[in-house]
Amino acid sequence: MALALSLGRRGMGRVWPNPAVGCVIVAQGRVVGRGWTADGGRPHAETQALRQAGLLAKGADVYVTLEPCAHHGQTAPCAEALIKAGVARVVIACGDPDPRVAGKGIALLRDAGFDVTAGVLQEEAEADHAGFFARLCHEKPYVTLKLATSVDGRIATATGESQWITGGLARRAVHMLRARHDAVMVGAGTMRADDPMLTVRGIGVDRQPVRVVVSRHLNISRDSKLVQTAHDVPLWVCHGPRADFSAWETSGAQSMTCTLKGGQLDPRSVMSGLAAKGLTRVFCEGGGSLAASLLDAELVDELVIFQAGMTIGAEGTPGIAALGLERLSDAPRFVLKELRQIGADTMQVWQKTAP
């Protein structure tokens, strides 16, 4: 199952709106088939592994990271494919909450006389499928907020200089994180200040995440790198109902009209809109105002903080804008899951605590 999970992770950022599933088929103690969800979501992991195993799948054990699907869509159900192949035993990491599946896959296999074991490495599998579950159950993608800061939590000097606070190895790690998400998101302020590309570079990736810009008024230069490359790499623009998108239509960008709350774009409207378009995992790279709005709306599932050994001072730009907190009990809380050194910098991974 650990191997199946590692295979499934190869599909992260590449298979939305489907889950990134891994599957391993073992016959007489030997792996005879391996598969993971293909780019774009099909074929499914089980189909890939069965194709590789061929006739050796008969009487074999199957390890799969998510309950096999039981509904007819563009392809036949994976549960039926396993039954047809004549496997002997199916080991499942976690169930699928999709109402079209939700126990039906397991029931199909058991009704056909198969030995089914569920819950193996369940916690790890649920973490890997968190984006798929969030979209399905909460109508939002899994949101990772990334910050690259000085020790005192600043992302730029008073003059706006921010490149580069962290070193080359940390920036390479950011590209690897981008590649594992369906989309990379920034606010209009970051776009105006840094003119980023938001693409994955330097690690041999051939599939780019969607680039998302959040801008209420669309007061962004159409000469920016994002706009100029919108025909090559997808660009989605989340904007307010009164913003004029007509001038952007020829650039290749896609419009996403969102509702307002308190005069600003409602972050929940932004996230529900992204989920409706199929995104399961979003990597937010700021800036401070967008980060604060997501935290205030309790939409951030994971914080990834790259921190450099420098101090900038109070006059620098904070990584997170004002949250308006008066009591510590109201502060968003996260649990430290990982801490490691990357070159001269550190990387901290914090996950949202249960409500």
Side-chain angles (χ1 to χ4, degrees):
M1 186 61 77
L3 174 58
L5 286 165
S6 69
L7 292 172
R9 292 176 192 128
R10 298 184 183 187
M12 283 186 172
R14 308 174 70 92
V15 304
W16 59 276
N18 285 1
V21 178
C23 180
V24 175
I25 300 176
V26 178
Q28 298 181 351
R30 183 168 64 93
V31 173
V32 296
R34 304 188 309 164
W36 58 91
T37 310
D39 289 0
R42 288 181 179 81
H44 290 180
E46 298 94 322
T47 303
Q48 305 265 63
L50 286 170
R51 182 179 297 139
Q52 188 179 92
L55 296 176
L56 294 176
K58 186 174 180 63
D61 294 341
V62 177
Y63 298 83
V64 61
T65 64
L66 187 69
E67 179 181 1
C69 61
H71 59 285
H72 286 268
Q74 296 183 26
T75 57
C78 289
E80 289 186 4
L82 293 170
I83 293 170
K84 185 178 179 180
V87 304
R89 177 172 175 247
V90 181
V91 182
I92 300 166
C94 64
D96 186 342
D98 188 328
R100 298 171 299 176
V101 185
K104 298 183 183 70
I106 292 175
L108 268 177
L109 292 167
R110 284 179 171 158
D111 289 346
F114 288 88
D115 179 9
V116 179
T117 302
V120 176
L121 297 186
Q122 180 174 336
E123 186 175 344
E124 292 91 331
E126 289 177 345
D128 286 354
H129 298 310
F132 176 69
F133 294 164
R135 178 177 180 269
L136 202 63
C137 302
H138 304 294
E139 298 180 344
K140 66 174 285 292
Y142 186 89
V143 178
T144 300
L145 174 61
K146 185 273 291 184
L147 300 172
T149 76
S150 59
V151 169
D152 52 346
R154 291 334 198 213
I155 59 173
T157 66
T159 62
E161 183 182 355
S162 61
Q163 296 181 341
W164 298 98
I165 290 177
T166 53
L169 290 177
R171 296 197 296 275
R172 182 179 174 85
V174 169
H175 282 278
M176 295 177 71
L177 287 168
R178 286 179 181 177
R180 291 168 63 88
H181 287 76
D182 308 340
V184 180
M185 181 171 68
V186 295
T190 295
M191 191 168 168
R192 287 191 295 268
D194 298 339
D195 192 19
M197 276 288 288
L198 301 183
T199 51
V200 179
R201 303 182 298 277
I203 59 172
V205 171
D206 60 355
R207 186 181 177 94
Q208 294 291 340
V210 174
R211 300 170 304 171
V212 178
V213 175
V214 181
S215 175
R216 179 177 48 147
H217 297 302
L218 284 181
N219 50 346
I220 304 168
S221 171
R222 293 187 62 224
D223 293 328
S224 69
K225 295 174 184 175
L226 284 182
V227 179
Q228 294 302 310
T229 57
H231 282 295
D232 303 315
V233 182
L235 173 62
W236 297 357
V237 183
C238 304
H239 57 80
R242 294 187 178 181
D244 183 6
F245 193 78
S246 58
W248 291 67
E249 290 179 343
T250 57
S251 71
Q254 291 190 34
S255 169
M256 253 188 62
T257 303
C258 303
T259 60
L260 301 180
K261 182 179 181 181
Q264 302 296 325
L265 282 182
D266 182 357
R268 291 191 176 277
S269 174
V270 171
M271 288 303 165
S272 64
L274 295 176
K277 290 173 74 69
L279 296 185
T280 65
R281 291 166 54 84
V282 171
F283 190 62
C284 178
E285 298 200 38
S289 295
L290 179 58
S293 69
L294 294 173
L295 287 165
D296 185 57
E298 299 181 345
L299 291 169
V300 176
D301 299 291
E302 182 177 80
L303 277 173
V304 178
I305 302 175
F306 292 91
Q307 201 163 61
M310 69 168 67
T311 56
I312 293 177
E315 68 273 25
T317 304
I320 299 170
L323 288 171
L325 296 175
E326 295 182 356
R327 298 178 299 178
L328 283 176
S329 59
D330 294 331
R333 294 279 182 173
F334 294 82
V335 175
L336 183 64
K337 292 296 183 180
E338 183 181 354
L339 173 62
R340 60 188 171 104
Q341 184 171 347
I342 299 183
D345 309 310
T346 62
M347 183 183 80
Q348 307 164 37
V349 179
W350 300 80
Q351 288 188 334
K352 184 179 180 179
T353 59

